Amino acid sequence: MDFGCHDKDSGEVECYFEIHCDTGTSCAITIQMPNPEAVGCVERFATLLSYLLVIITFPFSLFECFKVVQEFERAVIFRLGRLRKGGARGPGLFFVLPCIDTYRKVDLRTVSFDVPPQEVLTRDSVTVAVDAVVYYRIKEPLNAVVRVADYSASTRLLAATTLRNVLGMRDLAQLLSDREAISHMMQASLDEATEPWGVEVERVEIKDVRLPVQLQKAMAAEAEADREARAKIIAAEGEIKASKALKEASLVMIDNPMALQLRYLQSLSSISAEKNSTIIFPFPMDFLKAFLGGAGPSTTHQPSVQMTQSLPI
């Protein structure tokens, strides 16, 4: 069995089926159907008139027939409402016929826009206002012109809707701490939705998250209380370590009585280093033994403890 199709001069498509039998005979079935891309008589006549107009008005018609698009632009050409074959033109020079050809320029550069602040209710029932910025570019100029009426407005509306949908599935803590993951998720969702339009979303960034004033005060009070609790714990741990160090120092001073005297001299040195008017009177503790009455256990090597008294001048 053979099958084939070919175009006819009348603008129709002729398809045929040819079946070969074992006996050597063959039978063919021919079907004729209209070609949707065929150019009609009216369109041929309009094209001919346009060429005649170019010839009659030559060379002035060249200013209207030759167009230029920049390196970052592409031109999508329509002839009598139909998209011309060959795809988008550019960059550089291209030719159009007057009266029957229309074209539309498409910018391929990256475009950015701000998503207006959206009032979002998070998963833990907290109302926040979030805004973002979206970067996109045209990847397929033909789809951007043919498949969507206004790709820019459609992308902006879709970005605002996607922002609300994505943030509605997150808690407040995730929204404040995991912005990068939210941006990637929003970018993937937007890119998937805008791919049929020929639009590629390159980047999405969460700009600002505004919380209610009462919630800000509550979070500030919570953070302050947490910091105070940690400060008290750190101070208590420091007291414990200091008491252990003082205990070890006292044991060293009991075994070496001169260590207390050296510590006393070191204290005097640190006091005298400061610029102040202070007089220090050493007062030996041995003078108080008569008043103490010898109470307490007697030691063979009792350290000589002295009292100091500071009087301002």
Side-chain angles (χ1 to χ4, degrees), residues 76-293:
V76 180
I77 305 175
F78 295 90
R79 176 165 293 177
L80 295 175
R82 293 186 178 185
L83 183 65
R84 288 190 59 182
K85 296 181 180 180
R89 268 62 171 181
L93 186 69
F94 64 95
F95 180 80
V96 294
L97 290 176
C99 302
I100 63 173
D101 283 353
T102 58
Y103 70 95
R104 180 176 174 183
K105 291 183 180 180
V106 179
D107 196 336
L108 302 184
R109 292 177 294 183
T110 300
V111 180
S112 63
F113 64 89
D114 293 329
V115 180
Q118 304 294 317
E119 293 288 339
V120 180
L121 184 64
T122 60
R123 191 168 58 180
D124 51 354
S125 301
V126 178
T127 303
V128 295
V130 184
D131 56 352
V133 59
V134 179
Y135 298 86
Y136 74 94
R137 69 180 184 90
I138 302 301
K139 185 179 181 181
E140 297 291 340
L142 296 180
N143 294 339
V145 175
V146 175
R147 293 194 175 185
V148 61
D150 190 349
Y151 61 86
S152 179
S154 300
T155 305
R156 292 172 185 269
L157 293 176
L158 184 61
T161 305
T162 305
L163 179 62
R164 289 194 298 268
N165 294 336
V166 171
L167 297 182
M169 299 184 296
R170 294 291 188 273
D171 296 334
L172 179 61
Q174 296 176 351
L175 178 59
L176 296 176
S177 61
D178 202 6
R179 294 189 181 184
E180 185 175 357
I182 295 175
S183 299
H184 288 317
M185 183 177 180
M186 185 177 174
Q187 177 185 353
S189 180
L190 278 175
D191 196 17
E192 182 180 0
T194 58
E195 184 178 1
W197 304 341
V199 177
E200 180 183 4
V201 179
E202 295 181 339
R203 190 177 183 87
V204 178
E205 291 293 340
I206 304 296
K207 291 179 59 178
D208 189 18
V209 179
R210 288 184 289 275
L211 304 176
V213 179
Q214 296 180 354
L215 182 59
Q216 292 181 10
K217 293 180 179 179
M219 294 177 65
E222 180 182 1
E224 184 178 359
D226 189 17
R227 287 194 297 270
E228 290 181 356
R230 289 200 301 267
K232 291 181 179 179
I233 293 174
I234 293 173
E237 291 176 352
E239 292 292 338
I240 294 174
K241 293 180 181 180
S243 62
K244 290 181 180 180
L246 289 175
K247 179 182 178 181
E248 294 177 359
S250 63
L251 294 177
V252 172
M253 290 180 181
I254 290 175
D255 295 337
N256 300 293
M258 293 302 298
L260 184 60
Q261 187 68 21
L262 292 175
R263 178 60 181 155
Y264 169 72
L265 295 176
Q266 185 179 3
S267 300
L268 291 179
S269 176
S270 61
I271 294 173
S272 61
E274 299 178 359
K275 296 181 180 180
N276 52 14
S277 55
T278 304
I279 299 176
I280 302 174
F281 295 95
F283 188 78
M285 294 296 295
D286 295 337
F287 293 164
L288 299 178
K289 289 183 178 179
F291 300 98
L292 296 176

